Amino acid sequence: MLKFRSSKPVLVCIAVICASVAGCKKRDPAAPSAAQPASKPTIALVMKSLANEFFLTMENGARDHQKLHAAEYDLIANGIKDEQDVSRQVALVEQMIAQRVDAIVIAPADSKALVPVCKRAMDDGIAVVNIDNKFDSGALAEKKAKIPFVGPDNRKGARLAGEYLAKKLKAGDPVAIIEGAPNAFNGIQRKLGFEDAMNAAGMKIVTSQTGYWEMDKANQVASSILTEHPQLKAILCANDSMALGAAAALRAAGRQDSVIVVGFDNISAVQQLMKEGKVLCTVDQHADKLAVFGIEYALEMLKTRAAPEDRETQVDLITPDTLK
Amino acid sequence: MAEVKPGKKTRTRTRARLLPTGVADSVGMILALCALTAIFGLKAKHFFELKTFQTIANQIPDAVVISVGVTFVLIIGGIDLSVGSVLALCSAVMGAVLLRTEMPLPVAVLACVITGLACGSINGLLISGLKLPAFIVTLGMMEIARGATYMITGSRTAYIGSRVEVIAEQSLFGLSLPFLTALAVASAGQFALSRTVFGRHALAVGANEQAARYSGIGARKVKWMVYALCGALSGVAAVINCARLGSADPNAGTGFELQAIAAVVIGGTSLMGGRGSVVGTFLGVCIIAVLGAGLAQIGAQESTKRFITGCVIIAAVILDYYRRRLRASSGAA
């Protein structure tokens, strides 16, 4: 009796695990390179949070590209649970080294902490390409590693948005910035870009606080900023999720007409808000192509074995006019 | 108090039992709240204004509703780590119902709450029926609900707009519908805890489950109901969260579980079970919200914000500990 009782949950667990594994299998086309002809390289894409729409778009772009070029390379795509999970990402790179992939395309969760493990991959003869979040140059120099960065200039993108905003304001107007996570290189670059544009146009930045890339946190911070600064004219957000949160705060405070919101990333939800006039503009850095650029670059490196150089990808300002 | 039977003896005894869990325990917290408000009033230019308090009242309803559920879970000596993820799942369901079907808002709200109730019931069944540890079961549910959320939304933020924002725009006597809902949930929670059989049983199960069972209380059923209640309240909080943000965010509620536990413990509910107060929880949520709003208004650095928030949580618990000892010794005398 006792034995039967205790085995029931075990059976349930096994059934659940089997079902979930079976359900997941087709999502992960992780084919070991040994089974493939030697000429066809395997490229590992190591991403940040797949919970974030931006990285999901990036990964899907890469998967579509691989399907079109299935004869040229195999793809193993992996992501971490949340954007701060640095140690898990290090473990992923180690697994990829053990898998003996030919190249690793990585969007590092931390611009310093991932350098040593990538250096180890290079020492094993794996080509490494850095996308999205640029490795810290000091950390690279210290490890004597040269990893090419393929990606957009976030600072330039943020400056474009800021300059567009400045045309709607007059010099001396108070504005606020909602930053991304404090340790993210791209977040810092976007903040700098916003500051460049605002300072050049003579705006007054009254406060700059982090919203951790999240809608709800940004909503709370924006609400408080609105209360403290009744004259505020604009809120510049380092990503679109936070812009949605800020727009909701404006609505709650009844100040949609006097305060302008600017975002970054061009996610689908924000396009709707731009059409309704609740968000002024955003910046598209072509997420669907970012990983693809990295993969193409890695394939080039594998062929030519040339000394890697950085390559800048396109950033575009998106306004309600460009959406039409 | 109105329904207490006449007769002096009964009344004083009831009051003695009622007040400690309700008002008397809260005096320290109200003082702390006043102190925080005073400090931020001096530091920030526009803190001591009606607008600030309206903003805070607009921010806290979802946190209050969830924390009431967590209060009951902690009272029975359990824990629920899944509330944040369940909130995200519920709002994803609500967004999907509104955006992909042409169903009216009440149907979406109902679907949202039922989703929460279902998640909570599963937690409760596994914990009370199979006697699995609550920590692991709800940790599993936290992952399941988050994964399901990403599946439903495709990891995309769904912008719903005015169709759901109307909920936040309704108001009565200058108080918004979400805030009134939160007040109603908190009042009902305190009433259920101190005045109903269910509340008594929950406290008894938390204090000593075996003793409760021997005295004829259906401990399993009580536990199951508490987790189901907590899930359903996560669903209610999801409606409020959606209405406030005008969108269903797949990353909503990340870290909510710990924030709720912090608020509940600040409010004087024991992590060990058997003792708790919903009024205290409400004040705990207020303390955390005032702190968050105040620090953002003075434009504090992120490092400072975290440091101070941590200190306040610990200080509140220390204060609570000493006040309790003081009362215990004076009560014994």
Side-chain angles (χ1 to χ4, degrees):
Chain A
M1 182 64 187
L2 224 143
K3 213 170 184 183
F4 174 72
R5 273 187 62 121
S6 59
S7 68
K8 207 161 64 176
V10 176
L11 284 179
V12 172
C13 286
I14 293 173
V16 168
I17 291 167
C18 289
S20 50
V21 170
C24 292
K25 212 161 188 183
K26 63 175 184 288
R27 247 190 70 91
D28 205 332
S33 56
Q36 302 297 323
S39 59
K40 190 173 159 187
T42 302
I43 294 182
L45 181 61
V46 179
M47 307 283 289
K48 280 205 277 189
S49 166
L50 297 184
N52 185 327
E53 176 176 352
F54 178 74
F55 293 106
L56 193 80
T57 312
M58 217 192 244
E59 189 196 346
N60 288 340
R63 285 190 194 280
D64 292 344
H65 182 263
Q66 195 271 337
K67 269 178 212 145
L68 286 175
H69 301 83
E72 288 165 45
Y73 71 100
D74 284 319
L75 181 71
I76 305 178
N78 271 304
I80 47 175
K81 200 167 76 174
D82 68 68
E83 288 175 36
Q84 324 283 330
D85 197 354
V86 174
S87 58
R88 175 82 190 114
Q89 206 181 30
V90 171
L92 271 178
V93 175
E94 281 166 350
Q95 278 165 19
M96 292 303 115
I97 298 174
Q99 280 252 24
R100 307 219 148 271
V101 297
D102 299 284
I104 294 175
V105 177
I106 181 167
D110 186 290
S111 45
K112 286 180 188 152
L114 267 296
V115 170
V117 74
C118 286
K119 168 75 173 147
R120 236 181 301 150
M122 290 167 77
D123 292 343
D124 272 16
I126 299 172
V128 179
V129 177
N130 173 206
I131 56 170
D132 177 57
N133 182 14
K134 197 173 192 293
F135 277 128
D136 183 78
S137 51
L140 283 177
E142 193 192 313
K143 281 273 160 194
K144 297 195 180 62
K146 197 153 185 268
I147 300 176
F149 176 72
V150 178
D153 185 342
N154 278 285
R155 187 168 183 166
K156 187 169 124 192
R159 202 169 56 230
L160 287 175
E163 281 162 358
Y164 185 74
L165 168 70
K167 287 182 204 151
K168 311 274 174 189
L169 303 175
K170 55 182 194 300
D173 277 348
V175 300
I177 298 175
I178 299 188
E179 308 161 19
N183 54 348
F185 178 82
N186 53 353
I188 297 166
Q189 291 298 306
R190 289 175 195 184
K191 180 192 170 193
L192 290 173
F194 286 147
E195 285 175 351
D196 291 346
M198 290 297 101
N199 290 336
M203 306 302 162
K204 191 169 151 231
I205 301 173
V206 288
T207 183
S208 179
Q209 299 184 42
T210 172
Y212 277 95
W213 301 125
E214 280 175 36
M215 192 194 293
D216 205 359
K217 293 218 174 74
N219 178 254
Q220 291 176 10
V221 169
S223 298
S224 296
I225 292 176
L226 284 171
T227 315
E228 184 65 12
H229 303 285
Q231 303 303 319
L232 197 74
K233 287 287 183 284
I235 302 178
L236 299 101
C237 305
N239 80 354
D240 280 345
S241 289
M242 298 197 294
L244 286 170
L250 290 186
R251 184 174 51 76
R255 281 162 68 179
Q256 299 103 308
D257 298 331
S258 58
V259 184
I260 303 174
V261 176
V262 168
F264 201 111
D265 276 347
N266 194 26
I267 66 172
S268 50
V270 96
Q271 293 175 358
Q272 186 61 35
L273 278 149
M274 281 168 64
K275 282 176 196 154
E276 291 175 16
K278 291 175 186 161
V279 170
L280 176 71
C281 64
T282 185
V283 178
D284 195 343
Q285 43 177 344
H286 304 280
D288 55 332
K289 300 207 193 83
L290 274 185
V292 171
F293 287 143
I295 289 168
E296 283 173 346
Y297 197 86
L299 288 171
E300 246 175 70
M301 272 171 74
L302 288 175
K303 268 184 208 136
T304 58
R305 297 275 162 196
E309 290 298 326
D310 288 358
R311 185 181 290 177
E312 193 181 313
T313 60
Q314 202 184 348
V315 284
D316 290 316
L317 180 70
I318 306 293
T319 64
D321 295 332
T322 56
L323 280 179
K324 275 168 199 157
Chain B
M1 297 239 159
E3 60 268 43
V4 175
K5 277 185 216 142
K8 218 172 178 184
K9 253 183 180 169
T10 337
R11 178 181 269 158
T12 41
R13 210 189 309 144
T14 317
R15 181 175 291 162
R17 212 167 53 200
L18 245 184
L19 279 181
T21 51
V23 186
D25 257 4
S26 316
V27 173
M29 262 179 293
I30 292 173
L31 287 179
L33 206 51
C34 293
L36 276 180
T37 313
I39 293 170
F40 287 126
L42 289 175
K43 283 269 178 191
K45 255 183 292 170
H46 296 276
F47 190 81
F48 222 64
E49 284 175 13
L50 183 64
K51 195 100 197 141
T52 304
F53 297 100
Q54 278 174 343
T55 308
I56 293 173
N58 181 41
Q59 301 282 340
I60 59 169
D62 40 0
V64 169
V65 171
I66 278 208
S67 302
V68 170
V70 174
T71 307
F72 277 90
V73 171
L74 291 193
I75 281 175
I76 60 160
I79 195 157
D80 192 344
L81 299 176
S82 68
V83 288
S85 298
V86 170
L87 177 139
L89 177 60
C90 293
S91 50
V93 166
M94 184 155 150
V97 170
L98 282 174
L99 294 173
R100 289 182 212 163
T101 69
E102 286 305 304
M103 305 266 205
L105 185 62
V107 179
V109 170
L110 200 65
C112 184
V113 177
I114 288 177
T115 308
L117 183 67
C119 292
S121 302
I122 295 171
N123 279 340
L125 279 177
L126 291 173
I127 293 163
S128 66
L130 294 178
K131 295 207 187 76
L132 301 176
F135 191 92
I136 294 299
V137 170
T138 57
L139 187 69
M141 181 54 78
M142 169 172 147
E143 293 296 296
I144 292 171
R146 187 65 68 183
T149 308
Y150 292 150
M151 275 181 226
I152 292 176
T153 57
S155 300
R156 277 182 177 79
T157 302
Y159 176 64
I160 307 169
S162 54
R163 285 178 71 191
V164 68
E165 285 163 5
V166 292
I167 297 177
E169 281 156 11
Q170 307 298 321
S171 65
L172 198 67
F173 313 122
L175 297 171
S176 72
L177 179 60
F179 189 70
L180 289 172
T181 312
L183 282 185
V185 167
S187 319
Q190 183 61 48
F191 180 79
L193 185 65
S194 49
R195 289 300 193 83
T196 66
V197 176
F198 171 69
R200 290 272 151 241
H201 284 186
L203 286 164
V205 168
N208 187 338
E209 193 179 339
Q210 205 150 24
R213 197 170 289 141
Y214 288 157
S215 51
I217 295 172
R220 280 189 180 188
K221 196 178 151 203
V222 169
K223 281 170 100 174
W224 177 71
M225 280 168 73
V226 164
Y227 282 102
L229 174 75
C230 187
L233 288 178
S234 305
V236 174
V239 175
I240 296 171
N241 190 272
C242 254
R244 173 157 57 88
L245 297 173
S247 358
D249 175 12
N251 292 316
T254 340
F256 232 72
E257 53 284 340
L258 295 182
Q259 207 188 318
I261 291 171
V264 173
V265 173
I266 287 179
T269 296
S270 164
L271 265 176
M272 301 299 142
R275 173 166 61 80
S277 148
V278 177
V279 173
T281 295
F282 181 80
L283 291 171
V285 173
C286 289
I287 287 180
I288 289 186
V290 165
L291 197 59
L295 287 171
Q297 268 184 247
I298 59 174
Q301 288 282 313
E302 188 56 27
S303 43
T304 325
K305 278 186 196 170
R306 295 202 152 194
F307 192 87
I308 293 181
T309 309
C311 290
V312 168
I313 290 176
I314 291 179
V317 179
I318 292 177
L319 209 72
D320 181 63
Y321 173 75
Y322 277 107
R323 211 184 55 242
R324 232 168 261 286
R325 272 185 43 172
L326 202 73
R327 214 193 44 234
S329 58
S330 68

